[in-house]
Amino acid sequence: MTTHPEYMDAFTLDLFEELFSGAQESPAPEVAASVAAALEQAQTEKATAPVVHLFMLLLTCRRDQGLSPDSFALSRGKLEALARAHTAADEHSVTIGGRVDKALAIVDAANRRVETYLERKDTEAPSGIYLWDEIQANIARIKAALGMTDADFDTYNGQLKFAINDVETLGRAIPLSGNVLAQVARITAKYRMRLTPYYAALIRPEHVNDPVLLQAVPTGEMIDNAGIEIPPVAADHSPARLIDQFYPRTLTIKATNMCAMYCTHCLRIAHIGKRDRIYGQQTYAEALDYIRANKRIRDVLITGGDALVLSNDMLQKILNALDEIDHVEVKRLGTRIPVTAPMRIDDELLEVLAASNARKPLRVVTQINTAQEITPLSKVAFRRLSGAASAVLNQAVLLKGINDSRIKMWQLCETIQAAYVRPYYVFNCSYRNPQFAHLRVPIEKGRDIIESMYGNISGDAIPRYIATAGGKIPLHRSNVVATTDDGITLIKPWSGEEVVYPDADAELYADDNFSFEKW
Ligand SMILES: *Cc1c(COP(=O)(O)O)cnc(C)c1O
Ligand code: SF4
């Protein structure tokens, strides 16, 4: 048996075999010239790239024209010398066959999987950063239409004071047809509508079903969707005032019923109700008493409505109270305000959050459903929040026409990751509220979208896909296709390729006498 030096590994032997199975013929002069130039570089430069370039060129000549290296007066010996130089130069002793025939081919296949996404993301799912010029023009138009000064627009109070609550104001702020406005009027008689002027500026009015418009302005289906009203979550999961609980160690305090903007797909539509309510001290005291009395509770979510509707003072009081309860270990704040009114994220708020985070970890949980909601302003808000809190996490809702395609969801996840936000959950839109049945997306469609992210975007930009049904239930497809004596057979979600993954040795695992125990 012949043994080979390590730079002539199996990959490289295969590569040589393929190359030299070609015919020796005269190549076209320009091909001969480019091979000669590549050879010259590979021999003179002490680098790996020129060697790779030469072998790639030879492989292309072999595959496209059937030419062997002999056609360029390149002997096997000469190429073996270059293969040796390549492996010797490489820090990880990668062989030329491994690099040219395997690694580059794998990268090539990977690149092809994102080609369509890269071509189409900015037209099919543009971010608010990409659209910033257009949004700034919208801002100018809305300011003029509503009579807002710069100071009004740039402050949270100004955003609330000039909030769009009725159809007449909506019509002034956004160029919508009389027909559309008449439809909206029919709904707002029954459901609350509120858009901040800032959020309204994200809408691209010339797009009929603009994804931000769909989220913020209610349409006829909300009334017309027939169906039996299913009691809202609050009715069967509230063991105490303001509290929702279905887990042993985690619960939520619905600290307000207000939001800066009301979503057309709001799961809490019943709780949000029809009018704003301010809760008294006694209300919060009862909720905190429940937590104090339940020593199992370690993770408390302050939600609403929108937790950042609360004043900095009130937030500080609630966070202080939670920090003083020994068994509370971590806290979360649920808010959409960084995308609906990023001006709310002021220095004083950040100090309150940072102080609480220094005592016990505080996470901010937000809801961003489209990349269009990430503008330079919301990105700054998230950057600052991510500095003050221990993490900023996103819970998106999968919604028809809003984010129900691979391109839209990949773009959402990558855009928010670049805006300091970690994708956490994607919810399949709930069946519990017939009001938004028209926005629901089939479970399988969502599964395909989330699965398509594996292997194509950063692992920490991939959310978990969840059904909300008395708790959050994962909807992921299993990647285990078979269980055998050799282990399990797994499927790679991005290519469909099956791999056998050997299991841990059961006997070895059962043996308690190991490592320090053993010696
Ligand atoms: C969403 C939710 C939680 C938190 O669930 P996680 O999976 O820990 O994010 C806890 N309690 C209630 C009532 C909830 O709705
Ligand atoms: S921000 Fe949350 S609670 Fe408020 S309307 Fe939207 S989904 Fe509902």
Side-chain angles (χ1 to χ4, degrees), residues 393-441:
L393 306 168
N394 188 46
Q395 303 191 144
V397 185
L398 180 64
L399 296 162
K400 178 175 163 185
I402 294 175
N403 54 21
D404 58 338
S405 75
R406 289 185 179 198
I407 290 178
K408 288 174 184 170
M409 194 59 88
W410 291 19
Q411 165 83 330
L412 169 65
C413 292
E414 292 201 338
T415 305
I416 67 173
Q417 190 196 32
Y420 301 84
V421 180
R422 162 91 165 84
Y424 176 49
Y425 283 155
V426 166
F427 294 119
N428 184 268
C429 183
S430 173
Y431 67 95
R432 287 187 82 128
N433 304 72
Q435 293 94 332
F436 42 73
H438 59 293
L439 294 175
R440 292 196 72 201
V441 177

Side-chain angles (χ1 to χ4, degrees), residues 259 261-263 265-268 272 304-306 336 367:
C259 301
M261 178 281 241
Y262 290 108
C263 310
H265 57 273
C266 180
L267 185 68
R268 296 176 185 272
I272 297 302
D306 193 308
R336 266 206 103 173
Q367 186 196 138

